[in-house]
């Protein structure tokens, strides 16, 4: 790589340097990588929309198969985030962001042609779903990169903005998809026109093809505009984060926040379809699904700055308590075993409140991690990448375990009780080590 692409004397902790050069460079990098991350989230969650529509255009997949399809990008996203955790110190910001943006064009194009062919197999859709997980993997390289560019006092704001706006990609795909499927913008490719039961003509391939040009533009923009901070460390050297018990504790709190956000984002449309559409045939899951990720993303952006002012631990504590109460209400209120369409309003309110608090917790935890690992910015970046990797299994866990819970007990309440237990454990850990008076690492 050309030496001019490496920032050899970058020091965000130096006030004079930050005001003179660092701030401009950091915010330029944040702008490009956040735009890239937004498209990453959009492509990662394409299946949250696709699986709802496939039965309407003639694909004969069972509900369990649809849940597995929805789970596959989550599985891949988690696995690829583990890989991404270690990429920035090896390859640098410029290469990682550029290549990851351009490579996502491959599964997007595959998906566009797959939905145009009614003979496309379940196996092929599963392969595409796994490749879409590339978009989920990006987070664990983009966020650590951002943490290197900003001083600790502004890290919460920067990471909150990036993750929050990036998460808008979920709402983008769930909001934009119903609008674009009615347009014949790719009809020149032939095929793809489907007339559904309502008499409407839809072009499901639009949901995928519409992202090709933006991904290409972002990839080229990143290649020619981004620079990298040389924080060199081999893969083996970066494994030292696992020698610190706080890596585990940070992982628990981030699973509680982002894991639940991502899991609900992926499964929310299918939950509406399976729980409430049988009670009200006029209910369209996609009319409501995008609100959750939108609210969670917005609260993440807003509370990033709040976390910078009051610290992240208190906000994480509030999040944990709120999630425990809300999920218990979801179970005990009968909203997971509805008998009347009138219950949908309560179900929607509770789930949107869960999204709101996970957004707060997402902002809070990313403020905490650089403080907890303040002795080493490289370790802090590694922990951000690792915790994000594990939490990225949320879509996979939600879709698979909801399916397993339904098979074992007839409904999903068993899975959500396990979710409550996990929140109790993470909230207790956060209180003991990071929140209470005299705790080990106050943050």
């Amino acid at each position: 790589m050309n030496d001019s692409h490496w920032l050899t004397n970058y020091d965000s902790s130096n006030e004079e340097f930050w005001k003179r050069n660092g701030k401009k460079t950091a915010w330029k990098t944040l702008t490009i990588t956040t735009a890239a991350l937004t498209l990453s989230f959009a492509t990662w969650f394409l299946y949250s929309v696709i699986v709802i529509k496939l039965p309407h255009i003639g694909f004969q997949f069972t509900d369990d198969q649809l849940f597995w399809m929805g789970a596959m990008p989550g599985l891949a996203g988690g696995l690829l985030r583990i890989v991404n955790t270690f990429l920035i110190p090896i390859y640098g910001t410029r290469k990682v962001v550029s290549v990851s943006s351009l490579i996502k064009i491959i599964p997007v194009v595959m998906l566009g042609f797959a939905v145009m062919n009614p003979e496309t197999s379940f196996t092929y859709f599963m392969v595409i779903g796994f490749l879409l997980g590339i978009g989920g993997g990006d987070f664990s390289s983009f966020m650590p990169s951002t943490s290197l560019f900003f001083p600790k006092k502004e890290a919460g704001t920067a990471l909150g903005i990036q993750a929050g706006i990036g998460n808008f990609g979920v709402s983008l795909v769930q909001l934009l998809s119903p609008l674009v499927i009615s347009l014949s913008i790719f009809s020149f490719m032939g095929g793809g026109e489907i007339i559904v039961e309502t008499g409407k003509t839809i072009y499901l391939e639009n949901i995928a093809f519409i992202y090709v040009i933006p991904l290409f533009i972002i990839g080229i923009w990143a290649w020619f505009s981004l620079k990298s901070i040389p924080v060199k460390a081999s893969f083996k050297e970066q494994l030292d984060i696992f020698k610190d018990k706080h890596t585990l504790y940070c992982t628990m709190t981030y699973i509680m926040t982002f894991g639940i956000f991502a899991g609900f984002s992926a499964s929310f449309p299918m939950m509406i379809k399976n729980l409430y559409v049988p009670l009200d045939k006029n209910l369209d899951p996609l009319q409501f699904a995008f609100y959750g990720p939108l609210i969670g993303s917005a609260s993440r952006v807003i509370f990033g700055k709040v976390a910078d002012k009051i610290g992240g631990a208190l906000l994480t504590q509030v999040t944990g308590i709120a999630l425990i109460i809300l999920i218990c209400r979801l179970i005990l209120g009968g909203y997971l075993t509805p008998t009347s369409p009138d219950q949908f309003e309560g179900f929607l309110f509770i789930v949107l409140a869960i999204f709101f608090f996970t957004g707060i917790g997402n902002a809070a935890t990313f403020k905490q991690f650089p403080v907890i690992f303040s002795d080493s910015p490289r370790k802090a970046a590694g922990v951000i990448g690792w915790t994000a990797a594990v939490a990225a299994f949320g879509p996979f866990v939600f879709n698979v375990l909801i399916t397993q819970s339904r098979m074992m007990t007839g409904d999903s309440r068993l899975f959500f009780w396990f979710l409550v237990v996990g929140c109790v454990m993470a909230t207790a850990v956060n209180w003991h080590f990071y929140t209470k008076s005299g705790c080990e690492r106050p943050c």
Side-chain angles (χ1 to χ4, degrees):
M1 183 184 292
N2 191 314
D3 288 341
S4 65
H5 296 135
W6 291 92
L7 301 170
T8 54
N9 297 309
Y10 194 90
D11 183 8
S12 62
S13 63
N14 184 311
E15 282 285 344
E16 184 181 344
F17 171 82
W18 176 250
K19 291 178 180 178
R20 187 178 67 252
N21 294 319
K23 187 174 184 178
K24 180 180 179 180
T25 300
W27 281 95
K28 177 183 178 182
T29 303
L30 181 67
T31 299
I32 298 172
T33 56
T34 299
L37 187 61
T38 302
L39 291 178
S40 294
F41 269 91
T43 55
W44 189 26
F45 279 87
L46 279 177
Y47 264 19
S48 69
V49 174
I50 291 291
V51 297
I52 296 293
K53 293 295 183 182
L54 288 179
H56 294 285
I57 63 172
F59 287 93
Q60 302 299 313
F61 298 134
T62 66
D63 281 346
D64 285 348
Q65 285 178 313
L66 293 176
F67 266 114
W68 271 103
M69 285 171 60
M72 190 51 58
L75 173 63
L79 293 173
L80 293 173
R81 280 193 181 192
I82 295 174
V83 176
N84 271 265
T85 297
F86 306 100
L87 293 184
I88 291 296
I90 298 173
Y91 297 107
T93 299
R94 173 175 170 265
K95 274 189 175 180
V96 172
V97 176
S98 302
V99 173
S100 66
S101 296
L102 294 172
I103 202 171
K104 285 191 289 290
I105 294 174
I106 296 172
V108 165
V109 171
M110 290 173 64
L111 178 59
F113 284 110
V115 298
M116 293 168 68
N117 179 8
E119 301 301 318
T120 303
S121 68
F122 171 70
T123 301
Y124 190 67
F125 273 115
M126 290 288 278
V127 171
I128 295 173
F130 189 89
L131 294 176
L132 289 173
I134 294 171
D138 294 344
F139 192 87
S140 285
S141 54
F142 287 26
M143 296 293 284
S145 167
T146 297
S147 72
L148 296 174
F149 279 89
F150 283 83
K152 283 186 291 183
K153 67 178 182 179
E154 297 188 33
T157 299
L159 292 172
I161 290 173
Q162 179 160 64
I165 295 178
N167 286 354
F168 275 123
V170 184
S171 292
L172 175 68
V173 72
Q174 293 177 347
L175 176 63
L176 186 63
S177 297
L179 302 177
V180 301
I181 60 175
S182 62
L183 306 175
S184 59
I185 50 181
F186 298 105
S187 58
F188 64 89
M189 294 183 176
E193 179 179 333
I194 302 290
I195 300 177
V196 295
E197 294 174 352
T198 59
K200 296 180 179 178
T201 301
I202 68 171
Y203 303 83
L204 197 59
E205 68 275 12
N206 292 359
I207 294 176
F209 287 146
I210 199 167
Y211 293 102
V212 172
I213 293 177
L215 285 169
F216 179 78
I217 292 173
I218 288 291
I220 298 301
W221 185 21
W223 181 260
F224 287 103
S225 300
L226 289 179
K227 297 184 183 296
S228 306
I229 295 176
V231 184
K232 291 293 185 180
S234 68
F235 175 79
K236 184 177 180 179
E237 288 171 334
Q238 293 181 71
L239 295 178
D240 61 357
I241 62 173
F242 299 111
K243 296 178 181 179
D244 192 322
K245 64 184 180 182
H246 291 281
T247 297
L248 171 62
Y249 301 150
C250 290
T251 303
M252 292 175 66
T253 57
Y254 200 61
I255 289 173
M256 178 179 71
T257 56
F258 181 77
I260 291 178
F261 170 87
F264 262 115
S265 295
S267 61
F268 190 28
M270 281 295 290
M271 289 179 67
I272 296 174
K273 175 182 179 293
N274 288 338
L275 294 175
Y276 289 95
V277 170
L279 301 173
D280 182 359
K281 299 297 183 184
N282 295 319
L283 199 61
D284 181 359
L286 295 183
Q287 286 185 344
F288 303 95
F290 75 92
Y291 284 114
L294 182 66
I295 290 171
S297 301
S299 64
R300 187 167 189 166
V301 173
I302 294 168
F303 281 89
K305 199 166 188 65
V306 176
D308 273 339
K309 291 185 178 296
I310 69 172
L314 179 60
L315 290 178
T316 300
Q317 197 67 24
V318 171
T319 294
I321 294 170
L323 291 178
I324 293 166
I325 294 171
L326 289 166
I327 297 171
C328 285
R329 180 61 181 153
L330 201 62
I331 301 168
L332 298 175
Y335 297 106
L336 298 176
T337 53
T339 56
S340 167
D342 295 337
Q343 292 172 268
F344 178 69
E345 185 176 333
F347 169 80
L348 182 64
F349 176 81
I350 293 171
V351 173
L352 294 184
I354 289 172
F355 273 109
F356 174 75
F357 281 102
T358 57
I360 295 175
N362 287 339
T365 47
F366 271 151
K367 171 60 180 178
Q368 288 180 260
F369 299 165
V371 178
I372 293 170
F373 292 89
S374 59
D375 61 314
S376 171
R378 196 262 304 160
K379 285 184 180 180
V383 170
I384 288 173
W386 168 255
T387 57
V390 178
F393 285 105
F396 177 75
V397 170
F398 265 65
N399 280 291
V400 170
L401 294 191
I402 285 175
T403 300
Q404 293 302 309
S405 181
R406 290 172 59 212
M407 291 175 60
M408 293 171 60
T409 66
D411 59 64
S412 60
R413 286 177 293 178
L414 178 62
F415 165 67
F416 283 93
W417 277 124
F418 277 110
L419 210 58
V420 170
V421 173
C423 288
V424 170
M425 293 173 61
T427 304
V429 162
N430 184 71
W431 170 258
H432 181 74
F433 290 102
Y434 311 124
T435 310
K436 71 176 184 179
S437 178
C439 62
E440 189 171 323
R441 296 191 185 180
C443 53

